[in-house]
Amino acid sequence: DTEVTQTPKHLVMGMTNKKSLKCEQHMGHRAMYWYKQKAKKPPELMFVYSYEKLSINESVPSRFSPECPNSSLLNLHLHALQPEDSALYLCASSQGARRYTFGSGTRLTVV
Amino acid sequence: DQQVKQNSPSLSVQEGRISILNCDYTNSMFDYFLWYKKYPAEGPTFLISISSIKDKNEDGRFTVFLNKSAKHLSLHIVPSQPGDSAVYFCAAEISGTYKYIFGTGTRLKVLA
């Protein structure tokens, strides 16, 4: 298995909703990442987990809450989002700090 | 402050010809560079990488060149194929930081 699987592929949520994005990999990678990508912009790093511990938080607002329940799974919990948070959310994993494998992303729309 | 820049937002090339995508960076601490390709509705996929101890790395039709003094790297695709049409991102890392900085992307269109 050489894939990073993200669910759901699309999500529409209201500003008062609570939802979660899920990311799974079975490649034995010990680093996992959340990136956010707005239209016509590069992916921007949000969080890095290394060996299931949060190692980087790029000053992301607390309405985004990451969780790494085990070495294969990474969640992003969403609460009280704003319309400007609408974006493509990409999960990635890597063995060490090289060559990310990206998932296909979750297209999030906040209404 | 965009530390990694791709100044050409788009590029069109005839099938069979060479595609050259450029990337400039400002942080001299970057020592590892990668190129990713992205199709619509998919995540970026890794293409090729280069460490700062090298100035060239080749993999099939793809070659990456690094000019450290100019803080410039380029991706050459020869020969270009219609299936290469995608958005190409360069990315840079300071070793061990687990943190890639991506460029703004270049949309390549290979014309049949």
Side-chain angles (χ1 to χ4, degrees), chain A residues 4 6 21 23 33-37 42-44 46-47 74 76 87-92 102-107, chain B residues 38 42-44 89 102:
Chain A
V4 172
Q6 288 188 247
L21 309 185
C23 173
Y33 312 80
W34 281 114
Y35 273 81
K36 173 181 175 179
Q37 186 177 18
E44 292 181 354
M46 299 175 73
F47 302 104
L74 184 67
L76 186 63
L88 180 69
Y89 288 84
L90 291 162
C91 174
F102 279 93
S104 298
T106 294
R107 175 76 57 190
Chain B
K38 187 177 186 302
E42 293 184 15
F89 290 97
F102 282 85

Side-chain angles (χ1 to χ4, degrees), chain B residues 27-84:
Chain B
N27 190 339
S28 57
M29 297 292 290
F30 289 140
D31 58 2
Y32 194 75
F33 304 89
L34 308 92
W35 284 92
Y36 281 84
K37 177 167 78 172
K38 187 177 186 302
Y39 294 116
E42 293 184 15
T45 53
F46 171 80
L47 262 181
I48 193 168
S49 62
I50 188 166
S51 164
S52 60
I53 61 172
K54 291 183 161 186
D55 54 19
K56 178 181 173 181
N57 190 26
E58 217 169 333
D59 184 2
R61 297 186 297 114
F62 302 92
T63 303
V64 57
F65 295 92
L66 176 62
N67 182 333
K68 289 186 288 294
S69 60
K71 296 193 180 68
H72 177 84
L73 66 156
S74 61
L75 174 68
H76 292 207
I77 307 173
V78 183
S80 301
Q81 299 173 353
D84 296 329

